[in-house]
Amino acid sequence: EDQVTQSPEALRLQEGESSSLNCSYTVSGLRGLFWYRQDPGKGPEFLFTLYSAGEEKEKERLKATLTKKESFLHITAPKPEDSATYLCAVHYFGNEKLTFGTGTRLTIIP
Amino acid sequence: DVKVTQSSRYLVKRTGEKVFLECVQDMDHENMFWYRQDPGLGLRLIYFSYDVKMKEKGDIPEGYSVSREKKERFSLILESASTNQTSMYLCASRLNRGGRGNYGYTFGSGTRLTVV
């Protein structure tokens, strides 16, 4: 069974303290890996799609990278407004659905 | 931008009631999905639809049905609501015309359903 595992479950950082979130996945048949941001009580908001190992995408203080078995979401000098749950999802060939991880709840303390 | 609209943000229903959750998207997307989200379990797929009048079971279809009579609208039906269906329900849509960058999911803002 395809699995997506995110770590850590929760992360508290001081404002300006950089860190990384991890998403590991079942390796074979990857079509694309997605990162979403979700604020409390709202639907997930699309951040990035990565397709192949070595690929990187950036948006403001966030950078997503992909290796053959995992993806990282790096957050540089975070601000309190970056506090949210970050979800990773994988799309496998031959399967129409996305498989989601359970997310990392990120809290940035002013 | 694609917009996916869910008809209600919050709903409270009684056990045994028939419940309809409505989702509309405005960008002619072929594929639509219903997920539920629960703490510690993440997002789980209930049903999805490739196109009008087509539907496929997801991972947890028991107790649910769906309807897609028009391309833009995908309805989730709880035939007889139970307390274990209390959850956040999320609708999503996506384009299905191949090519990279063309198949990202867009989510609605969610419906928080409480069954009492």
Side-chain angles (χ1 to χ4, degrees), chain A residues 39-69:
Chain A
D39 293 303
K42 297 188 176 179
E45 176 188 342
F46 172 76
L47 291 173
F48 304 109
T49 310
L50 301 166
Y51 298 99
S52 54
E55 191 172 359
E56 298 183 353
K57 297 269 180 75
E58 283 190 69
K59 180 180 179 180
E60 296 181 355
R61 295 176 291 283
L62 297 176
K63 183 168 81 171
T65 62
L66 183 65
T67 72
K68 286 187 176 178
K69 60 178 183 177

PDB file of all heavy atoms in Angstrom, chain A residues 39-69:
ATOM      1  N   ASP A  39      -4.723  26.355   6.831  1.00  0.00           N
ATOM      2  CA  ASP A  39      -5.004  27.142   8.036  1.00  0.00           C
ATOM      3  C   ASP A  39      -6.192  26.536   8.755  1.00  0.00           C
ATOM      4  O   ASP A  39      -7.042  25.874   8.131  1.00  0.00           O
ATOM      5  CB  ASP A  39      -5.282  28.590   7.649  1.00  0.00           C
ATOM      6  CG  ASP A  39      -4.033  29.267   7.097  1.00  0.00           C
ATOM      7  OD1 ASP A  39      -3.021  29.286   7.828  1.00  0.00           O
ATOM      8  OD2 ASP A  39      -4.048  29.744   5.945  1.00  0.00           O
ATOM      9  N   PRO A  40      -6.295  26.747  10.062  1.00  0.00           N
ATOM     10  CA  PRO A  40      -7.379  26.118  10.838  1.00  0.00           C
ATOM     11  C   PRO A  40      -8.755  26.432  10.260  1.00  0.00           C
ATOM     12  O   PRO A  40      -9.066  27.588   9.960  1.00  0.00           O
ATOM     13  CB  PRO A  40      -7.207  26.728  12.235  1.00  0.00           C
ATOM     14  CG  PRO A  40      -5.763  27.086  12.309  1.00  0.00           C
ATOM     15  CD  PRO A  40      -5.373  27.518  10.928  1.00  0.00           C
ATOM     16  N   GLY A  41      -9.565  25.398  10.087  1.00  0.00           N
ATOM     17  CA  GLY A  41     -10.929  25.572   9.616  1.00  0.00           C
ATOM     18  C   GLY A  41     -11.063  25.878   8.139  1.00  0.00           C
ATOM     19  O   GLY A  41     -12.159  26.199   7.677  1.00  0.00           O
ATOM     20  N   LYS A  42      -9.980  25.765   7.392  1.00  0.00           N
ATOM     21  CA  LYS A  42     -10.017  26.065   5.960  1.00  0.00           C
ATOM     22  C   LYS A  42      -9.522  24.880   5.143  1.00  0.00           C
ATOM     23  O   LYS A  42      -8.918  23.955   5.674  1.00  0.00           O
ATOM     24  CB  LYS A  42      -9.170  27.293   5.652  1.00  0.00           C
ATOM     25  CG  LYS A  42      -9.685  28.563   6.313  1.00  0.00           C
ATOM     26  CD  LYS A  42      -8.929  29.775   5.830  1.00  0.00           C
ATOM     27  CE  LYS A  42      -9.507  31.038   6.429  1.00  0.00           C
ATOM     28  NZ  LYS A  42      -8.773  32.248   5.984  1.00  0.00           N
ATOM     29  N   GLY A  43      -9.764  24.940   3.830  1.00  0.00           N
ATOM     30  CA  GLY A  43      -9.265  23.902   2.952  1.00  0.00           C
ATOM     31  C   GLY A  43      -7.801  24.089   2.643  1.00  0.00           C
ATOM     32  O   GLY A  43      -7.262  25.188   2.781  1.00  0.00           O
ATOM     33  N   PRO A  44      -7.116  23.026   2.210  1.00  0.00           N
ATOM     34  CA  PRO A  44      -5.701  23.135   1.849  1.00  0.00           C
ATOM     35  C   PRO A  44      -5.500  24.080   0.667  1.00  0.00           C
ATOM     36  O   PRO A  44      -6.295  24.098  -0.268  1.00  0.00           O
ATOM     37  CB  PRO A  44      -5.323  21.700   1.477  1.00  0.00           C
ATOM     38  CG  PRO A  44      -6.332  20.835   2.162  1.00  0.00           C
ATOM     39  CD  PRO A  44      -7.592  21.632   2.150  1.00  0.00           C
ATOM     40  N   GLU A  45      -4.406  24.830   0.745  1.00  0.00           N
ATOM     41  CA  GLU A  45      -4.052  25.774  -0.315  1.00  0.00           C
ATOM     42  C   GLU A  45      -2.769  25.285  -0.981  1.00  0.00           C
ATOM     43  O   GLU A  45      -1.768  25.028  -0.320  1.00  0.00           O
ATOM     44  CB  GLU A  45      -3.847  27.156   0.301  1.00  0.00           C
ATOM     45  CG  GLU A  45      -3.374  28.226  -0.662  1.00  0.00           C
ATOM     46  CD  GLU A  45      -3.016  29.509   0.064  1.00  0.00           C
ATOM     47  OE1 GLU A  45      -3.439  29.691   1.211  1.00  0.00           O
ATOM     48  OE2 GLU A  45      -2.288  30.322  -0.520  1.00  0.00           O
ATOM     49  N   PHE A  46      -2.798  25.181  -2.304  1.00  0.00           N
ATOM     50  CA  PHE A  46      -1.676  24.633  -3.049  1.00  0.00           C
ATOM     51  C   PHE A  46      -0.426  25.499  -2.911  1.00  0.00           C
ATOM     52  O   PHE A  46      -0.483  26.728  -3.007  1.00  0.00           O
ATOM     53  CB  PHE A  46      -2.064  24.522  -4.524  1.00  0.00           C
ATOM     54  CG  PHE A  46      -0.938  24.155  -5.444  1.00  0.00           C
ATOM     55  CD1 PHE A  46      -0.480  22.849  -5.497  1.00  0.00           C
ATOM     56  CD2 PHE A  46      -0.325  25.112  -6.224  1.00  0.00           C
ATOM     57  CE1 PHE A  46       0.554  22.506  -6.332  1.00  0.00           C
ATOM     58  CE2 PHE A  46       0.721  24.779  -7.059  1.00  0.00           C
ATOM     59  CZ  PHE A  46       1.160  23.473  -7.123  1.00  0.00           C
ATOM     60  N   LEU A  47       0.718  24.836  -2.691  1.00  0.00           N
ATOM     61  CA  LEU A  47       2.002  25.535  -2.644  1.00  0.00           C
ATOM     62  C   LEU A  47       2.894  25.140  -3.826  1.00  0.00           C
ATOM     63  O   LEU A  47       3.296  25.978  -4.613  1.00  0.00           O
ATOM     64  CB  LEU A  47       2.732  25.216  -1.338  1.00  0.00           C
ATOM     65  CG  LEU A  47       2.138  25.762  -0.051  1.00  0.00           C
ATOM     66  CD1 LEU A  47       2.893  25.216   1.159  1.00  0.00           C
ATOM     67  CD2 LEU A  47       2.166  27.282  -0.049  1.00  0.00           C
ATOM     68  N   PHE A  48       3.233  23.837  -3.919  1.00  0.00           N
ATOM     69  CA  PHE A  48       4.202  23.379  -4.913  1.00  0.00           C
ATOM     70  C   PHE A  48       3.825  22.009  -5.458  1.00  0.00           C
ATOM     71  O   PHE A  48       3.192  21.214  -4.771  1.00  0.00           O
ATOM     72  CB  PHE A  48       5.607  23.207  -4.282  1.00  0.00           C
ATOM     73  CG  PHE A  48       6.148  24.419  -3.598  1.00  0.00           C
ATOM     74  CD1 PHE A  48       6.252  24.443  -2.210  1.00  0.00           C
ATOM     75  CD2 PHE A  48       6.586  25.513  -4.319  1.00  0.00           C
ATOM     76  CE1 PHE A  48       6.768  25.553  -1.563  1.00  0.00           C
ATOM     77  CE2 PHE A  48       7.097  26.624  -3.680  1.00  0.00           C
ATOM     78  CZ  PHE A  48       7.195  26.643  -2.301  1.00  0.00           C
ATOM     79  N   THR A  49       4.290  21.745  -6.681  1.00  0.00           N
ATOM     80  CA  THR A  49       4.320  20.393  -7.221  1.00  0.00           C
ATOM     81  C   THR A  49       5.754  20.086  -7.642  1.00  0.00           C
ATOM     82  O   THR A  49       6.411  20.909  -8.277  1.00  0.00           O
ATOM     83  CB  THR A  49       3.424  20.241  -8.458  1.00  0.00           C
ATOM     84  OG1 THR A  49       2.137  20.762  -8.186  1.00  0.00           O
ATOM     85  CG2 THR A  49       3.291  18.780  -8.850  1.00  0.00           C
ATOM     86  N   LEU A  50       6.217  18.883  -7.291  1.00  0.00           N
ATOM     87  CA  LEU A  50       7.549  18.414  -7.691  1.00  0.00           C
ATOM     88  C   LEU A  50       7.373  17.108  -8.436  1.00  0.00           C
ATOM     89  O   LEU A  50       6.549  16.263  -8.056  1.00  0.00           O
ATOM     90  CB  LEU A  50       8.435  18.202  -6.458  1.00  0.00           C
ATOM     91  CG  LEU A  50       8.646  19.438  -5.576  1.00  0.00           C
ATOM     92  CD1 LEU A  50       9.227  19.042  -4.231  1.00  0.00           C
ATOM     93  CD2 LEU A  50       9.575  20.425  -6.277  1.00  0.00           C
ATOM     94  N   TYR A  51       8.170  16.916  -9.505  1.00  0.00           N
ATOM     95  CA  TYR A  51       7.938  15.754 -10.358  1.00  0.00           C
ATOM     96  C   TYR A  51       9.089  14.763 -10.360  1.00  0.00           C
ATOM     97  O   TYR A  51       8.876  13.561 -10.567  1.00  0.00           O
ATOM     98  CB  TYR A  51       7.702  16.202 -11.800  1.00  0.00           C
ATOM     99  CG  TYR A  51       6.485  17.070 -11.959  1.00  0.00           C
ATOM    100  CD1 TYR A  51       6.590  18.456 -12.027  1.00  0.00           C
ATOM    101  CD2 TYR A  51       5.216  16.499 -12.051  1.00  0.00           C
ATOM    102  CE1 TYR A  51       5.467  19.251 -12.175  1.00  0.00           C
ATOM    103  CE2 TYR A  51       4.094  17.295 -12.206  1.00  0.00           C
ATOM    104  CZ  TYR A  51       4.232  18.664 -12.266  1.00  0.00           C
ATOM    105  OH  TYR A  51       3.122  19.446 -12.416  1.00  0.00           O
ATOM    106  N   SER A  52      10.329  15.241 -10.171  1.00  0.00           N
ATOM    107  CA  SER A  52      11.453  14.317 -10.295  1.00  0.00           C
ATOM    108  C   SER A  52      12.557  14.688  -9.315  1.00  0.00           C
ATOM    109  O   SER A  52      12.682  15.863  -8.900  1.00  0.00           O
ATOM    110  CB  SER A  52      11.989  14.317 -11.728  1.00  0.00           C
ATOM    111  OG  SER A  52      12.296  15.616 -12.143  1.00  0.00           O
ATOM    112  N   ALA A  53      13.348  13.681  -8.952  1.00  0.00           N
ATOM    113  CA  ALA A  53      14.430  13.873  -7.989  1.00  0.00           C
ATOM    114  C   ALA A  53      15.366  14.980  -8.458  1.00  0.00           C
ATOM    115  O   ALA A  53      15.725  15.056  -9.639  1.00  0.00           O
ATOM    116  CB  ALA A  53      15.186  12.568  -7.798  1.00  0.00           C
ATOM    117  N   GLY A  54      15.735  15.842  -7.523  1.00  0.00           N
ATOM    118  CA  GLY A  54      16.615  16.959  -7.835  1.00  0.00           C
ATOM    119  C   GLY A  54      15.883  18.258  -8.088  1.00  0.00           C
ATOM    120  O   GLY A  54      16.473  19.336  -8.101  1.00  0.00           O
ATOM    121  N   GLU A  55      14.584  18.162  -8.263  1.00  0.00           N
ATOM    122  CA  GLU A  55      13.806  19.361  -8.555  1.00  0.00           C
ATOM    123  C   GLU A  55      13.613  20.196  -7.294  1.00  0.00           C
ATOM    124  O   GLU A  55      13.496  19.658  -6.194  1.00  0.00           O
ATOM    125  CB  GLU A  55      12.443  18.952  -9.117  1.00  0.00           C
ATOM    126  CG  GLU A  55      11.652  20.109  -9.695  1.00  0.00           C
ATOM    127  CD  GLU A  55      10.397  19.623 -10.408  1.00  0.00           C
ATOM    128  OE1 GLU A  55      10.168  18.399 -10.454  1.00  0.00           O
ATOM    129  OE2 GLU A  55       9.657  20.490 -10.920  1.00  0.00           O
ATOM    130  N   GLU A  56      13.595  21.514  -7.446  1.00  0.00           N
ATOM    131  CA  GLU A  56      13.376  22.441  -6.349  1.00  0.00           C
ATOM    132  C   GLU A  56      12.392  23.523  -6.796  1.00  0.00           C
ATOM    133  O   GLU A  56      12.407  23.938  -7.950  1.00  0.00           O
ATOM    134  CB  GLU A  56      14.676  23.116  -5.910  1.00  0.00           C
ATOM    135  CG  GLU A  56      15.738  22.178  -5.396  1.00  0.00           C
ATOM    136  CD  GLU A  56      16.987  22.903  -4.899  1.00  0.00           C
ATOM    137  OE1 GLU A  56      17.076  24.139  -5.078  1.00  0.00           O
ATOM    138  OE2 GLU A  56      17.860  22.226  -4.349  1.00  0.00           O
ATOM    139  N   LYS A  57      11.551  23.976  -5.864  1.00  0.00           N
ATOM    140  CA  LYS A  57      10.641  25.085  -6.127  1.00  0.00           C
ATOM    141  C   LYS A  57      10.706  26.031  -4.937  1.00  0.00           C
ATOM    142  O   LYS A  57      10.840  25.596  -3.797  1.00  0.00           O
ATOM    143  CB  LYS A  57       9.199  24.589  -6.294  1.00  0.00           C
ATOM    144  CG  LYS A  57       8.982  23.655  -7.481  1.00  0.00           C
ATOM    145  CD  LYS A  57       8.604  24.432  -8.714  1.00  0.00           C
ATOM    146  CE  LYS A  57       8.382  23.529  -9.916  1.00  0.00           C
ATOM    147  NZ  LYS A  57       7.113  22.793  -9.865  1.00  0.00           N
ATOM    148  N   GLU A  58      10.566  27.320  -5.199  1.00  0.00           N
ATOM    149  CA  GLU A  58      10.629  28.307  -4.122  1.00  0.00           C
ATOM    150  C   GLU A  58       9.467  29.273  -4.199  1.00  0.00           C
ATOM    151  O   GLU A  58       8.989  29.632  -5.288  1.00  0.00           O
ATOM    152  CB  GLU A  58      11.927  29.134  -4.226  1.00  0.00           C
ATOM    153  CG  GLU A  58      13.145  28.426  -3.752  1.00  0.00           C
ATOM    154  CD  GLU A  58      14.340  29.371  -3.642  1.00  0.00           C
ATOM    155  OE1 GLU A  58      14.327  30.251  -2.754  1.00  0.00           O
ATOM    156  OE2 GLU A  58      15.275  29.216  -4.433  1.00  0.00           O
ATOM    157  N   LYS A  59       9.053  29.714  -3.013  1.00  0.00           N
ATOM    158  CA  LYS A  59       8.020  30.741  -2.915  1.00  0.00           C
ATOM    159  C   LYS A  59       8.213  31.474  -1.594  1.00  0.00           C
ATOM    160  O   LYS A  59       8.026  30.891  -0.532  1.00  0.00           O
ATOM    161  CB  LYS A  59       6.634  30.119  -2.978  1.00  0.00           C
ATOM    162  CG  LYS A  59       5.484  31.102  -2.896  1.00  0.00           C
ATOM    163  CD  LYS A  59       4.157  30.342  -2.961  1.00  0.00           C
ATOM    164  CE  LYS A  59       2.991  31.298  -2.854  1.00  0.00           C
ATOM    165  NZ  LYS A  59       1.690  30.596  -2.909  1.00  0.00           N
ATOM    166  N   GLU A  60       8.635  32.703  -1.699  1.00  0.00           N
ATOM    167  CA  GLU A  60       8.895  33.541  -0.518  1.00  0.00           C
ATOM    168  C   GLU A  60       9.867  32.820   0.423  1.00  0.00           C
ATOM    169  O   GLU A  60      10.983  32.513   0.038  1.00  0.00           O
ATOM    170  CB  GLU A  60       7.575  33.911   0.163  1.00  0.00           C
ATOM    171  CG  GLU A  60       6.696  34.769  -0.722  1.00  0.00           C
ATOM    172  CD  GLU A  60       5.380  35.168  -0.071  1.00  0.00           C
ATOM    173  OE1 GLU A  60       5.084  34.699   1.045  1.00  0.00           O
ATOM    174  OE2 GLU A  60       4.640  35.949  -0.679  1.00  0.00           O
ATOM    175  N   ARG A  61       9.451  32.489   1.626  1.00  0.00           N
ATOM    176  CA  ARG A  61      10.365  31.884   2.599  1.00  0.00           C
ATOM    177  C   ARG A  61      10.376  30.354   2.528  1.00  0.00           C
ATOM    178  O   ARG A  61      11.038  29.700   3.328  1.00  0.00           O
ATOM    179  CB  ARG A  61       9.954  32.324   4.017  1.00  0.00           C
ATOM    180  CG  ARG A  61      10.126  33.831   4.230  1.00  0.00           C
ATOM    181  CD  ARG A  61       9.624  34.237   5.607  1.00  0.00           C
ATOM    182  NE  ARG A  61       8.178  34.122   5.714  1.00  0.00           N
ATOM    183  CZ  ARG A  61       7.328  34.988   5.205  1.00  0.00           C
ATOM    184  NH1 ARG A  61       7.769  36.059   4.555  1.00  0.00           N
ATOM    185  NH2 ARG A  61       6.021  34.819   5.349  1.00  0.00           N
ATOM    186  N   LEU A  62       9.660  29.793   1.597  1.00  0.00           N
ATOM    187  CA  LEU A  62       9.537  28.341   1.477  1.00  0.00           C
ATOM    188  C   LEU A  62      10.283  27.820   0.262  1.00  0.00           C
ATOM    189  O   LEU A  62      10.249  28.424  -0.815  1.00  0.00           O
ATOM    190  CB  LEU A  62       8.058  27.951   1.343  1.00  0.00           C
ATOM    191  CG  LEU A  62       7.144  28.272   2.515  1.00  0.00           C
ATOM    192  CD1 LEU A  62       5.715  27.909   2.168  1.00  0.00           C
ATOM    193  CD2 LEU A  62       7.579  27.563   3.773  1.00  0.00           C
ATOM    194  N   LYS A  63      10.957  26.695   0.452  1.00  0.00           N
ATOM    195  CA  LYS A  63      11.581  25.992  -0.663  1.00  0.00           C
ATOM    196  C   LYS A  63      11.320  24.509  -0.506  1.00  0.00           C
ATOM    197  O   LYS A  63      11.583  23.934   0.554  1.00  0.00           O
ATOM    198  CB  LYS A  63      13.086  26.241  -0.715  1.00  0.00           C
ATOM    199  CG  LYS A  63      13.733  25.566  -1.916  1.00  0.00           C
ATOM    200  CD  LYS A  63      15.154  26.034  -2.161  1.00  0.00           C
ATOM    201  CE  LYS A  63      16.153  25.357  -1.280  1.00  0.00           C
ATOM    202  NZ  LYS A  63      17.552  25.677  -1.675  1.00  0.00           N
ATOM    203  N   ALA A  64      10.811  23.889  -1.561  1.00  0.00           N
ATOM    204  CA  ALA A  64      10.536  22.460  -1.554  1.00  0.00           C
ATOM    205  C   ALA A  64      11.559  21.756  -2.432  1.00  0.00           C
ATOM    206  O   ALA A  64      11.889  22.225  -3.521  1.00  0.00           O
ATOM    207  CB  ALA A  64       9.135  22.182  -2.068  1.00  0.00           C
ATOM    208  N   THR A  65      12.048  20.620  -1.938  1.00  0.00           N
ATOM    209  CA  THR A  65      13.011  19.821  -2.683  1.00  0.00           C
ATOM    210  C   THR A  65      12.549  18.372  -2.713  1.00  0.00           C
ATOM    211  O   THR A  65      11.756  17.935  -1.856  1.00  0.00           O
ATOM    212  CB  THR A  65      14.412  19.905  -2.047  1.00  0.00           C
ATOM    213  OG1 THR A  65      14.340  19.369  -0.708  1.00  0.00           O
ATOM    214  CG2 THR A  65      14.908  21.339  -1.974  1.00  0.00           C
ATOM    215  N   LEU A  66      13.038  17.634  -3.698  1.00  0.00           N
ATOM    216  CA  LEU A  66      12.624  16.241  -3.862  1.00  0.00           C
ATOM    217  C   LEU A  66      13.843  15.356  -4.127  1.00  0.00           C
ATOM    218  O   LEU A  66      14.689  15.683  -4.967  1.00  0.00           O
ATOM    219  CB  LEU A  66      11.644  16.117  -5.033  1.00  0.00           C
ATOM    220  CG  LEU A  66      11.048  14.739  -5.299  1.00  0.00           C
ATOM    221  CD1 LEU A  66      10.156  14.294  -4.140  1.00  0.00           C
ATOM    222  CD2 LEU A  66      10.258  14.747  -6.602  1.00  0.00           C
ATOM    223  N   THR A  67      13.929  14.255  -3.358  1.00  0.00           N
ATOM    224  CA  THR A  67      14.920  13.218  -3.645  1.00  0.00           C
ATOM    225  C   THR A  67      14.162  11.973  -4.082  1.00  0.00           C
ATOM    226  O   THR A  67      12.934  11.997  -4.212  1.00  0.00           O
ATOM    227  CB  THR A  67      15.778  12.904  -2.407  1.00  0.00           C
ATOM    228  OG1 THR A  67      14.972  12.180  -1.449  1.00  0.00           O
ATOM    229  CG2 THR A  67      16.302  14.172  -1.760  1.00  0.00           C
ATOM    230  N   LYS A  68      14.876  10.875  -4.218  1.00  0.00           N
ATOM    231  CA  LYS A  68      14.220   9.654  -4.717  1.00  0.00           C
ATOM    232  C   LYS A  68      13.291   9.023  -3.694  1.00  0.00           C
ATOM    233  O   LYS A  68      12.455   8.195  -4.052  1.00  0.00           O
ATOM    234  CB  LYS A  68      15.271   8.636  -5.156  1.00  0.00           C
ATOM    235  CG  LYS A  68      15.931   9.020  -6.473  1.00  0.00           C
ATOM    236  CD  LYS A  68      16.831   7.921  -6.983  1.00  0.00           C
ATOM    237  CE  LYS A  68      17.405   8.307  -8.356  1.00  0.00           C
ATOM    238  NZ  LYS A  68      18.330   7.273  -8.874  1.00  0.00           N
ATOM    239  N   LYS A  69      13.407   9.400  -2.433  1.00  0.00           N
ATOM    240  CA  LYS A  69      12.545   8.763  -1.444  1.00  0.00           C
ATOM    241  C   LYS A  69      11.871   9.730  -0.493  1.00  0.00           C
ATOM    242  O   LYS A  69      11.065   9.323   0.344  1.00  0.00           O
ATOM    243  CB  LYS A  69      13.339   7.736  -0.642  1.00  0.00           C
ATOM    244  CG  LYS A  69      14.514   8.315   0.126  1.00  0.00           C
ATOM    245  CD  LYS A  69      15.210   7.236   0.922  1.00  0.00           C
ATOM    246  CE  LYS A  69      16.340   7.837   1.763  1.00  0.00           C
ATOM    247  NZ  LYS A  69      17.011   6.832   2.606  1.00  0.00           N
TER     248      LYS A  69
END
